[in-house]
Amino acid sequence: MSDEYYMNLALSMARKGFNKDDVPVGAVIVYKDKVIAKAYNTKNIKKCAINHAEVLAIKKACSKLHSWHLEDCTLYVTMEPCLMCCGAILQARMGRVVYGAKCAKFGYVHSISEVLNSKKNNHQVSVTGGILEDECSKILKDFFSNKRD
């Protein structure tokens, strides 16, 4: 399957968050061409600051694989991960991250810093950005536009 295919699955998760009035970020983790975890932000729903889609998906993937080593996995996420999520990605030794929309205020993959590829880390992550960027940006813009109205 293609990056676009899996990003569309992540977008479907983001829509679930949108429909539940949470920031619409969705994540999917793929292992050997099979989806092993899906999640969306539940930060507002659960009133928990760490309930980002990436963290929730990583937790599910670790449980599914009975390991915290996710080197052979790819994380697809609709928005560039924040610093906390980058830390979780590094701790899980994620092999690859694919994201949709950039995040100028909180993105630590490319926008603010390049945490996942710092040579100071004992692990670097392969990164692809901008997959279905317009669609991923639109759902976020629609969500925040609705909040302002």
Side-chain angles (χ1 to χ4, degrees):
M1 300 287 175
S2 68
D3 286 345
E4 289 80 10
Y5 173 83
Y6 292 119
M7 188 60 74
N8 270 311
L9 293 179
L11 268 167
S12 73
M13 296 306 293
R15 286 185 199 96
K16 287 185 179 192
F18 183 97
N19 292 335
K20 292 185 178 190
D21 202 32
D22 215 315
V23 177
V25 176
V28 171
I29 295 179
V30 176
Y31 173 71
K32 295 184 178 179
D33 296 321
K34 184 177 179 183
V35 174
I36 60 166
K38 295 189 273 187
Y40 55 89
N41 275 8
T42 61
K43 183 176 168 181
N44 292 331
I45 297 165
K46 301 283 186 173
K47 309 293 184 233
C48 182
I50 64 170
N51 278 17
H52 289 201
E54 301 95 318
V55 171
L56 297 171
I58 287 169
K59 207 171 164 186
K60 289 177 183 179
C62 290
S63 179
K64 178 85 173 183
L65 295 178
H66 306 288
S67 176
W68 58 269
H69 284 270
L70 303 179
E71 297 98 334
D72 297 326
C73 294
T74 299
L75 167 67
Y76 291 87
V77 61
T78 57
M79 186 170 73
E80 179 182 5
C82 70
L83 185 57
M84 176 185 70
C85 292
C86 284
I89 289 163
L90 288 168
Q91 287 295 323
R93 308 297 193 267
M94 188 69 62
R96 182 170 180 241
V97 170
V98 179
Y99 70 87
K102 282 198 169 197
C103 182
K105 292 183 180 180
F106 293 103
Y108 274 81
V109 177
H110 288 125
S111 295
I112 296 172
S113 183
E114 294 190 12
V115 171
L116 297 181
N117 290 311
S118 171
K119 298 299 181 204
K120 293 179 181 180
N121 296 332
N122 67 338
H123 176 74
Q124 286 80 42
V125 181
S126 173
V127 176
T128 304
I131 302 298
L132 300 183
E133 184 172 11
D134 291 342
E135 295 90 331
C136 293
S137 293
K138 183 178 182 338
I139 193 170
L140 289 160
K141 287 176 187 170
D142 290 349
F143 178 81
F144 289 110
S145 176
N146 289 345
K147 289 286 175 200
R148 288 185 206 102
D149 288 345

